[in-house]
Amino acid sequence: MWKRSRYGWDREGGMARAAGMGQTSVMTDSDDPTHEFETALWRWTPEPPAKGSWHFVTIDGEAADAIRALGFERRMLGGARGFGAVRLRASVNGVPFETSAFPQKESGGYLLPVKAAVRKAAGVGEGDLVTIGLWA
């Protein structure tokens, strides 16, 4: 069972780990996300000579408002993170993981990074429409 703590989500007394990082998480019917929506998975690649790329989904609307409120609550409790990031539990097509959502000025919402292990477990890639679950 997952429980919200001051610093994030705890499972059976310990911090949860991202998918593919040595711990399998199973969601149950009683553990439904507070927000669920469909959006496209996209990739950001820096200009050369930098290497690498990152995959994200954009969170806006009510889900972004809930993340903003969660971040405010944590700041008031002394659990603030850098860059306005908000630690949360998420899922991509039902694959759960923990990460931080980062504020995005352009949309007024948040960016949710999706690691390779999560993409692989969910069977998704750049441009795919995915179902995002958030516990915020």
Side-chain angles (χ1 to χ4, degrees):
M1 179 57 106
W2 291 88
K3 295 179 185 175
R4 187 181 292 188
S5 74
R6 178 176 172 173
Y7 299 104
W9 288 93
D10 288 305
R11 182 171 188 188
E12 298 175 10
M15 283 299 289
R17 296 178 185 217
M21 298 296 289
Q23 178 175 339
T24 304
S25 301
V26 177
M27 291 187 193
T28 65
D29 291 337
S30 63
D31 195 22
D32 293 332
T34 55
H35 294 83
E36 196 168 53
F37 57 94
E38 287 189 341
T39 188
L41 181 67
W42 55 275
R43 180 171 59 174
W44 178 81
T45 303
E47 293 185 22
K51 296 181 180 180
S53 62
W54 293 265
H55 289 76
F56 297 95
V57 295
T58 303
I59 302 169
D60 54 15
E62 288 182 22
D65 292 342
I67 293 170
R68 196 171 292 108
L70 180 60
F72 178 77
E73 176 184 324
R74 291 196 181 140
R75 280 191 304 277
M76 294 298 103
L77 294 172
R81 299 186 67 85
F83 305 105
V86 179
R87 188 94 175 139
L88 52 78
R89 182 173 171 225
S91 68
V92 174
N93 289 357
V95 176
F97 63 106
E98 273 205 3
T99 189
S100 292
F102 299 90
Q104 183 189 36
K105 290 181 183 180
E106 292 82 14
S107 71
Y110 286 83
L111 297 179
L112 184 73
V114 181
K115 293 181 179 183
V118 175
R119 295 191 313 270
K120 183 177 179 180
V124 299
E126 180 183 2
D128 289 347
L129 191 62
V130 296
T131 300
I132 301 296
L134 296 176
W135 286 258

